[in-house]
Amino acid sequence: MRARLRSWTAVGGRVAAARELAGFSQRELAERLGIHRSALTRVELGQRQLDALELARIAELLGRTVEWFLTAPAETVVSRRSGISADQDVQRLEDILDRVSRDVELLCDVGALTLAPVALQPGVTTLAEAEAGAAEARALLGGGDGPLVDLQAAVERLGLLAFSLDLGPGVIDGGYLRTGQVGVALVNGAAIAGQRRINLAHELGHHLLADEYAADVGGGSGRSEREALIDAFAIHFLMPGPSVRSRWAELSGEWEYPRQRLFVLAAEHRVSWSAVVSHAYTLELISRAERELLQVQRPTVGDYLEVRGARFVQELQPPALAPAYAQAVMRAYRHGVISADRVVELLHGTVTPDDLPTPHQMPIEALAPESGGSSDLADHGAVPKRF
């Protein structure tokens, strides 16, 4: 559970963050609250306390729960693959990731969502350790070292709930946090399809390998080195070296030019052009000069089609919700724990109330927990809670 905020300065900071994310100026929100702008300024600075009714009204206007303002956000690991520039929006991703993680906590608390944790040796300090970690994660999945065709489902089997939401082009790539035993990753769906997969694999690296997450937030060379190692984990997880080398040899007999072989590799592994070119250089399949030339010779759709009709599957197209999460939402709804309107909110508008069955129309078998055993939702005689 999250810690309660102990100062009005911290609460005021949450008010300011929620206001900015909702798109209100101080003047606009103050007018809706019926108070002077200076009073709201003092609230956000922690110089004026709020009574229960005032906080409830702010929560209503900004689309939050009262509890959101009174509890600290979870520690978030924000991806900084090439550093964060001044014009990139970090706060928006952290705020939405915090909201998603609270929804996950809700489903866990009512017994609708369980996810088995997966443990690897934490920490990564060398490229060899990053590559070994990727191989170990692959081994846990089984099925060899070929292309992963459903990355969102794969990372879920490794204890990570993955979400792709369109956060806009000015927002950073992604972030990760842990809530209880469950990892939650959010990637910016505004990125191209291949890059979304790279970003999610990067967050998986944080989930499985990185330790002391909070210590990374301050930046510095240590963080940059850690991010580079997590990047190495991500590309080796998606494109294991032995498999890529073997496939390269096969393609060499069919396609004369490296660029054509890279088209096929990028499409089969569903990664971005820059990622496949860089990885080919790291694996010594192409020279430095070839890498520099190929990086600027970005392929078109026609290029992919020309090479045996290779094409990208639009994986992680936003909004893409973690499958176990979506199932848990419906499970909670079936048992009368949450309302139809709350389902729509939790599923980020991917359904409407008209899409939902009424709980009493569900077959009796559907009311049993899918994972077997006891569940908070299956306790007979329990009074359903409604959120």
Side-chain angles (χ1 to χ4, degrees):
M1 300 298 291
R2 304 186 194 216
R4 300 279 293 188
L5 293 177
R6 298 182 178 275
S7 73
W8 281 103
T9 299
V11 174
R14 298 286 273 170
V15 171
R19 173 182 59 76
E20 292 171 0
L21 190 67
F24 285 107
S25 67
Q26 280 190 335
R27 183 179 302 279
E28 290 169 335
L29 182 58
E31 289 176 353
R32 297 198 178 204
L33 291 171
I35 62 177
H36 195 273
R37 178 182 176 183
S38 62
L40 180 58
T41 299
R42 292 175 59 212
V43 168
E44 294 185 356
L45 293 175
Q47 298 171 355
R48 178 181 180 274
Q49 297 184 11
L50 294 166
D51 62 34
L53 291 178
E54 288 176 322
L55 186 55
R57 178 60 176 156
I58 289 174
E60 179 184 9
L61 287 172
L62 299 181
R64 305 282 176 168
T65 64
V66 170
E67 185 69 11
W68 187 88
F69 294 95
L70 298 177
T71 56
E75 294 288 356
T76 302
V77 177
V78 173
S79 300
R80 303 185 183 184
R81 292 165 183 77
S82 57
I84 295 180
S85 62
D87 60 349
Q88 285 182 298
D89 190 342
V90 178
Q91 183 61 48
R92 176 169 170 78
L93 181 136
E94 291 187 333
D95 193 272
I96 294 177
L97 180 54
D98 180 61
R99 182 182 298 186
V100 170
S101 72
R102 287 172 185 272
D103 293 339
V104 169
E105 282 184 352
L106 164 67
L107 296 170
C108 291
D109 287 346
V110 300
L113 175 62
T114 58
L115 202 63
V118 174
L120 296 183
Q121 182 66 34
V124 56
T125 58
T126 67
L127 288 173
E129 289 178 351
E131 186 172 355
E136 186 177 355
R138 278 285 194 140
L140 290 172
L141 292 175
D145 59 359
L148 290 171
V149 297
D150 188 347
L151 185 59
Q152 195 173 29
V155 302
E156 194 163 287
R157 291 166 58 193
L158 296 172
L160 179 64
L161 295 175
F163 298 79
S164 174
L165 301 175
D166 190 344
L167 307 180
V171 181
I172 58 175
D173 292 336
Y176 164 84
L177 59 78
R178 184 183 295 275
T179 173
Q181 295 297 313
V182 179
V184 181
L186 173 63
V187 298
N188 188 353
I192 61 175
Q195 190 60 46
R196 293 195 295 262
R197 280 173 57 91
I198 292 288
N199 295 343
L200 178 52
H202 182 99
E203 304 312 333
L204 177 67
H206 277 298
H207 175 65
L208 293 178
L209 295 178
D211 54 357
E212 299 178 356
Y213 302 114
D216 283 341
V217 175
S221 60
R223 178 182 173 85
S224 298
E225 293 169 2
R226 175 76 59 80
E227 290 297 303
L229 293 172
I230 297 299
D231 280 340
F233 166 90
I235 193 61
H236 281 284
F237 178 75
L238 293 177
M239 303 183 70
S243 175
V244 172
R245 288 191 177 95
S246 175
R247 184 65 174 137
W248 184 265
E250 293 176 3
L251 293 171
S252 297
E254 187 174 358
W255 303 104
E256 178 181 0
Y257 300 110
R259 190 166 183 261
Q260 295 170 316
R261 296 171 226 157
L262 291 172
F263 291 161
V264 177
L265 287 176
E268 287 179 345
H269 292 83
R270 303 181 183 181
V271 299
S272 64
W273 180 249
S274 61
V276 75
V277 171
S278 295
H279 197 41
Y281 172 72
T282 300
L283 297 176
E284 300 182 346
L285 302 177
I286 60 175
S287 67
R288 179 186 296 272
E290 287 175 318
R291 181 191 66 173
E292 293 175 356
L293 182 61
L294 288 166
Q295 285 286 17
V296 298
Q297 292 181 337
R298 294 185 173 276
T300 65
V301 174
D303 285 324
Y304 282 110
L305 294 176
E306 189 177 11
V307 182
R308 280 190 317 195
R311 65 182 180 87
F312 269 105
V313 175
Q314 292 296 314
E315 198 171 333
L316 295 169
Q317 186 78 15
L321 311 179
Y325 170 87
Q327 291 170 354
V329 171
M330 292 307 302
R331 192 174 300 129
Y333 171 71
R334 290 200 307 254
H335 291 81
V337 176
I338 57 176
S339 67
D341 287 342
R342 187 74 168 109
V343 170
V344 174
E345 180 183 353
L346 290 171
L347 295 183
H348 295 263
T350 56
V351 298
T352 69
D354 293 337
D355 296 325
L356 303 176
T358 55
H360 69 270
Q361 289 179 329
M362 300 300 295
I364 190 65
E365 311 88 67
L367 300 181
E370 295 181 11
S371 58
S374 62
S375 168
D376 292 349
L377 296 179
D379 291 339
H380 297 291
V383 179
K385 294 184 289 183
R386 192 168 290 274
F387 294 85

